[in-house]
Amino acid sequence: MSEVLFSAADLSLAVGRQILYDKTEFSISTGEKVALVGRNGCGKSTLLRIITGAELPGEFSRLTRRRNLRCAELPQDFQLDENSTVAENIRAELSFFYDLLRQYEQLSPASPAHAELEHLISMYDVWNPEVKLNTIMEKLHLTGLASRRCGELSGGEKRRVALAGAIISEPDLLLLDEPTNHLDVNTVEWIEEFLNSTSTACLFVTHDRYFLDRVSTRIVELDHGKFYSYDGTYADFLAAKAEREYREDQLEAKRQSFLRSEIDWVRRSPKARLKRNMGRIKRFEAVSAVAKPLRDADMELLIPYPPRLGNKVVELKNVSKSFDGRPVISNFSFEFAPGSRIGVTGPNGIGKSTLVKIITGQLPPDSGSCECASTVQFNVIDQNRAVLDPEKSVLEEISEGLEHVYLGTEKVTVWTYLKRFLFEDERIKTAVKYLSGGEKARLALAEVLKKGGNFLILDEPTNDLDLASLRLLEEALAVFPGCVLAVSHDRYFLNRICTGVLTFDRNGGIFYTPGDYDYAQEKRHEREQPVIRESPVKKSAPPPVKDKPRKLSYKEQKEFDGMEEAIIAVEEEIAALEEAFGDPDFYAKYGAQSQDLQQKLAAAREKSAALYARWGELSEIVDGV
C-alpha cells in the first residue's frame, strides 16, 4: 500500500485580492507521478514552494509531511553557482550521500546506527558517489561540459545541469516546474524514460502534453482555488473537466430557478416573517449565499489578417554556414510556399536560430543565397522574450505612446487589446520585470501579433504558456493564411500546426518532410537505420525444403486489403473526438453529450488497438513468419 508523502487539508492562501487556495485539499503518495495543471498565475509554483517549506500557507492550513521527507526541486527560475564548473554544481547535490559516508566511517562497527547507515548506503548504492555523478552527466550529455563554468553555458545547458542536480540526490519527492522548457526532444525523451523507471514520486508542472501523457499517473487541476484530481490521459482529463463543469452549470441553473421562484415570496414582508416560515427564509438565504461556479476567460487570440503574399515568398539556394570550422548548415535549399506552416526541430545549439537569422537577413550565409519577395513582412518572437523592455509598464510596452492598436482594418484601444490577453487593470500598469513567466509569454504574443506581418517566425512560442492558451495559439496559427516558421521542441504543438518539418542533423544537414512531427520522426529513424549489406558467401547445398507457408484465405485477403483504410478511418475518428474534447468551449457545445462522446472515444481506441493487432497477425502470414 502506498504511503502519503505530503498532504494538505483546508489549504488556504491569498495574494492581494487573488485567492490561490480556498480551503482545499491535496496529497501525493509514494510512486505517484502527478501532473499539476492550471492557468498561469493560479498557484502551481507556489504549491511546490509550500511543499519544500520555502513558502507558508494561510494560518488555518494543515500540512502533513512524512518524517524525514527529502525533496528535490527544479524551479522555473533555478539558481546555479555561475563561477563553479558543471561537475561542481552537480556534485554539491550529493552532500546527503557524502554525509552518510562520513558518519559511517566515524561510527564504531558495533554501533546500531552503523548497521542502519550501511543499509542506507547500500540501498542508494553510493559507496562511490562519483560513479553516480559520471553516470548522470553522461545521460544528460554533460560530460563534455564538466569542466566549464556554468556562467558560460546556454539556457538549455544550464537547465540540464539543474535537472541533473535535482535527480542525482534521489529524493523521496521530486518537484519539477516546467522541466521541458528549452530542452531538446532527445533530452525530454530521456527524462520521460527516467521518470517512468524510477520509484521516486514526482509532482510536475508542464505544458508539454506528450510529456504529461507519457509520465503522469494522475492529473490534478488547480481551478479557482480548488484541486480536482483526474485519472487517465490529457484527453480524458479534458472530457472529465467538461463533464464536471456541465454538472456545475446544471446545478447553478436549478439554483437560479429556485431563487427566482422564491424571491417574490420572501419580499412579502409580514407573512414571510411569521415563525412558521422562518425555515423557508433560512433555506432561501442559504441557497442565495452559494457562489456561482467561476470560469476562466479565454484569450481572444486573433491574428491580424496579413498582407497578401505573392507566389514567391522566401527561397534559400545552396545555403551554407560554419562557425569556427564547424558546419552548421550545409548546402541547404528550400522554398517556402504561401500558407505553409513549417516546424523546425533538432538538438539545442545545432543551428536552428542561425537558420532564422539567415532567413530574416540578420546573418549572411557563407555561401549560397536567401531571396525574399518584396511582399514579405517578417514578424519575429524571440524565445527569451528579448523583445520586451523590463523597465516599461505593460501599457507602455504595447502602446508605444499611442492610444489605439490597429489589427488589420480593426481599430481598438490599447486597454481593450490587453484585456483580450487577460491583463486586468492593475496588471496593465505593472512593470514588465514584475510579471510572471506566463504573463510575459502572453505579453510577448500581444506584442508580436499587433505588428501584423505575413511571415510569422516563432522561436519556442510554447514556453511558459498554459494549456488553454496553447490550444488557442494552435487554433489561430492553423487558420493563419500567411507563412509560419515555428522553432519548437513541443511535439504536440508541431503535430497540430505543421504542414511540413525541417529536421537538423549533427553534420549541418537539414531534411524536409511534408506532414506533421510524428511523420518527420518516422522518416528520420528510417534515414538513421544502418544499411546492412550481406557479405558474399560460397555456394552450398540447398537447405532442406520446409513446409510451404500458409497463405491468406480469400476472406482474410479481403480483410487485409481493407485494413489500412479501416485503421485510417478510426484514427481520424479518434483525432476528431480528441479535438472536440480540446475545445475550450466543449462543455457549452457538447455538455449534454459528454458521456456519450467519452464512451465513443474509448470504443474507438479499443477498435484501433484491435485493428492494429489483427493487422499484425495477417502481416505475419503474408510475410511467411
Side-chain angles (χ1 to χ4, degrees):
M1 185 175 177
S2 58
E3 180 184 8
V4 175
L5 297 173
F6 172 87
S7 66
D10 294 325
L11 182 62
S12 302
L13 184 64
V15 178
R17 293 184 300 171
Q18 184 185 7
I19 297 175
L20 297 183
Y21 314 117
D22 183 15
K23 296 180 180 177
T24 188
E25 297 180 352
F26 174 82
S27 68
I28 183 168
S29 301
T30 53
E32 281 197 298
K33 308 296 188 294
V34 178
L36 182 60
V37 301
R39 288 283 192 173
N40 285 329
C42 71
K44 302 186 297 294
S45 298
T46 302
L47 177 65
L48 303 189
R49 292 196 295 273
I50 287 173
I51 293 174
T52 61
E55 189 157 335
L56 296 175
E59 58 179 323
F60 297 111
S61 304
R62 291 179 286 126
L63 307 182
T64 305
R65 292 182 180 85
R66 195 190 70 178
R67 186 183 176 190
N68 298 325
L69 176 67
R70 289 196 307 117
C71 296
E73 183 183 16
L74 174 65
Q76 281 194 59
D77 301 319
F78 56 85
Q79 297 294 325
L80 297 174
D81 185 342
E82 301 279 309
N83 295 317
S84 297
T85 66
V86 168
E88 288 167 346
N89 268 277
I90 302 173
R91 188 180 289 112
E93 303 302 325
L94 287 167
S95 58
F96 173 73
F97 300 132
Y98 279 114
D99 287 343
L100 288 179
L101 289 169
R102 193 177 302 111
Q103 293 173 42
Y104 177 79
E105 291 166 358
Q106 292 172 354
L107 285 172
S108 165
S111 167
H114 188 275
E116 185 179 340
L117 285 171
E118 185 175 3
H119 170 71
L120 282 173
I121 293 168
S122 298
M123 183 177 72
Y124 288 115
D125 191 21
V126 283
W127 292 106
N128 185 358
E130 291 296 308
V131 172
K132 282 192 178 296
L133 176 67
N134 294 331
T135 301
I136 197 69
M137 287 201 300
E138 182 183 350
K139 295 291 185 183
L140 287 170
H141 308 293
L142 294 169
T143 305
L145 305 174
S147 59
R148 285 184 61 185
R149 289 191 313 107
C150 286
E152 302 170 357
L153 304 180
S154 68
E157 290 167 338
K158 287 180 179 178
R159 181 163 285 270
R160 276 188 279 144
V161 174
L163 178 64
I167 289 172
I168 200 170
S169 62
E170 296 187 32
D172 303 312
L173 177 56
L174 184 61
L175 306 171
L176 304 175
D177 199 349
E178 296 292 2
T180 64
N181 274 2
H182 308 292
L183 295 181
D184 58 47
V185 172
N186 290 337
T187 305
V188 172
E189 288 176 346
W190 180 85
I191 300 171
E192 291 171 353
E193 291 174 9
F194 168 79
L195 291 176
N196 284 326
S197 63
T198 183
S199 59
T200 297
C202 181
L203 175 63
F204 59 93
V205 178
T206 188
H207 66 266
D208 187 326
R209 288 147 291 183
Y210 271 14
F211 183 86
L212 187 154
D213 271 348
R214 292 176 180 180
V215 174
S216 66
T217 57
R218 182 162 60 99
I219 299 174
V220 173
E221 181 189 24
L222 177 54
D223 185 17
H224 291 98
K226 300 288 187 183
F227 289 109
Y228 300 93
S229 181
Y230 306 90
D231 294 323
T233 65
Y234 178 65
D236 295 328
F237 151 69
L238 290 175
K241 173 183 169 69
E243 189 172 348
R244 171 178 66 82
E245 291 184 338
Y246 177 68
R247 288 197 304 268
E248 289 175 349
D249 290 341
Q250 283 187 314
L251 289 174
E252 175 61 15
K254 290 178 181 177
R255 188 180 77 92
Q256 292 295 340
S257 176
F258 169 80
L259 292 175
R260 283 193 299 270
S261 67
E262 291 290 279
I263 189 69
D264 289 337
W265 179 86
V266 171
R267 284 172 178 167
R268 279 180 264 146
S269 207
K271 290 183 179 179
R273 300 277 185 258
L274 292 174
K275 188 174 181 180
R276 65 175 178 270
N277 292 325
M278 290 305 293
R280 187 172 176 180
I281 293 173
K282 286 180 180 178
R283 185 183 173 211
F284 173 83
E285 289 173 346
V287 173
S288 62
V290 174
K292 68 177 182 179
L294 296 174
R295 296 286 181 264
D296 283 314
D298 283 321
M299 286 194 303
E300 293 184 47
L301 209 163
L302 301 174
I303 301 178
Y305 198 83
R308 184 181 173 277
L309 283 168
N311 292 329
K312 184 176 180 181
V313 182
V314 174
E315 185 176 6
L316 297 117
K317 296 180 178 178
N318 303 317
V319 169
S320 295
K321 186 69 181 179
S322 299
F323 292 102
D324 299 325
R326 181 177 71 88
V328 175
I329 299 174
S330 298
N331 200 33
F332 176 58
S333 298
F334 185 73
E335 184 173 358
F336 289 88
S340 59
R341 298 185 299 278
I342 307 300
V344 183
T345 68
N348 287 329
I350 203 165
K352 301 187 295 295
S353 296
T354 301
L355 176 64
V356 169
K357 289 176 181 177
I358 290 174
I359 291 171
T360 55
Q362 297 172 279
L363 191 68
D366 294 339
S367 61
S369 63
C370 177
E371 300 175 2
C372 293
S374 58
T375 55
V376 173
Q377 297 178 19
F378 289 112
N379 204 340
V380 183
I381 181 169
D382 184 81
Q383 65 169 311
N384 297 316
R385 319 301 182 206
V387 293
L388 303 177
D389 185 340
E391 301 302 323
K392 287 183 178 180
S393 70
V394 172
L395 180 65
E396 291 168 339
E397 179 66 40
I398 295 296
S399 69
E400 298 177 347
L402 303 174
E403 293 184 1
H404 294 87
V405 172
Y406 290 89
L407 305 175
T409 58
E410 184 184 5
K411 176 183 175 183
V412 298
T413 66
V414 175
W415 283 76
T416 301
Y417 180 66
L418 284 168
K419 287 189 174 182
R420 287 184 174 185
F421 287 84
L422 306 183
F423 286 99
E424 298 298 332
D425 292 350
E426 61 184 46
R427 301 304 282 172
I428 289 175
K429 299 174 184 176
T430 302
V432 170
K433 61 184 176 183
Y434 296 121
L435 300 180
S436 69
E439 287 173 321
K440 287 178 182 175
R442 279 190 272 122
L443 184 60
L445 274 178
E447 174 78 21
V448 72
L449 295 179
K450 80 180 178 68
K451 295 176 182 177
N454 50 24
F455 198 128
L456 298 181
I457 296 180
L458 309 174
D459 196 354
E460 294 294 354
T462 65
N463 284 350
D464 301 315
L465 284 180
D466 58 43
L467 295 172
S469 301
L470 264 178
R471 292 201 304 272
L472 291 171
L473 175 61
E474 290 162 354
E475 288 162 9
L477 291 175
V479 297
F480 180 65
C483 271
V484 177
L485 182 68
V487 180
S488 180
H489 298 308
D490 190 320
R491 298 155 289 181
Y492 195 100
F493 173 79
L494 293 174
N495 269 341
R496 287 204 70 187
I497 72 155
C498 286
T499 59
V501 177
L502 296 174
T503 305
F504 278 71
D505 70 11
R506 291 286 182 187
N507 301 314
I510 306 176
F511 297 90
Y512 172 71
T513 311
D516 61 14
Y517 171 82
D518 283 345
Y519 185 66
Q521 286 299 99
E522 183 182 322
K523 291 300 179 184
R524 180 179 71 84
H525 290 313
E526 287 179 8
R527 287 195 303 271
E528 292 176 353
Q529 288 297 321
V531 178
I532 301 174
R533 292 186 175 88
E534 293 185 3
S535 57
V537 295
K538 294 180 180 179
K539 291 184 179 180
S540 57
V545 178
K546 296 182 180 179
D547 293 336
K548 193 174 181 181
R550 183 173 85 81
K551 292 185 177 181
L552 293 177
S553 67
Y554 173 78
K555 186 177 179 181
E556 287 173 332
Q557 184 65 53
K558 195 172 180 181
E559 181 186 5
F560 185 68
D561 292 341
M563 192 67 73
E564 184 176 353
E565 188 177 339
I567 289 173
I568 291 172
V570 76
E571 292 291 348
E572 286 176 351
E573 182 185 358
I574 291 170
L577 287 167
E578 288 182 341
E579 187 173 350
F581 283 126
D583 189 337
D585 296 326
F586 175 85
Y587 73 92
K589 295 178 181 176
Y590 310 106
Q593 310 165 42
S594 62
Q595 194 168 1
D596 289 340
L597 290 175
Q598 202 164 359
Q599 290 172 354
K600 283 183 180 178
L601 179 58
R605 286 173 175 166
E606 287 180 11
K607 184 178 179 183
S608 174
L611 283 170
Y612 274 112
R614 180 60 175 158
W615 178 76
E617 291 173 5
L618 296 177
S619 296
E620 288 182 357
I621 297 172
V622 171
D623 297 337
V625 177

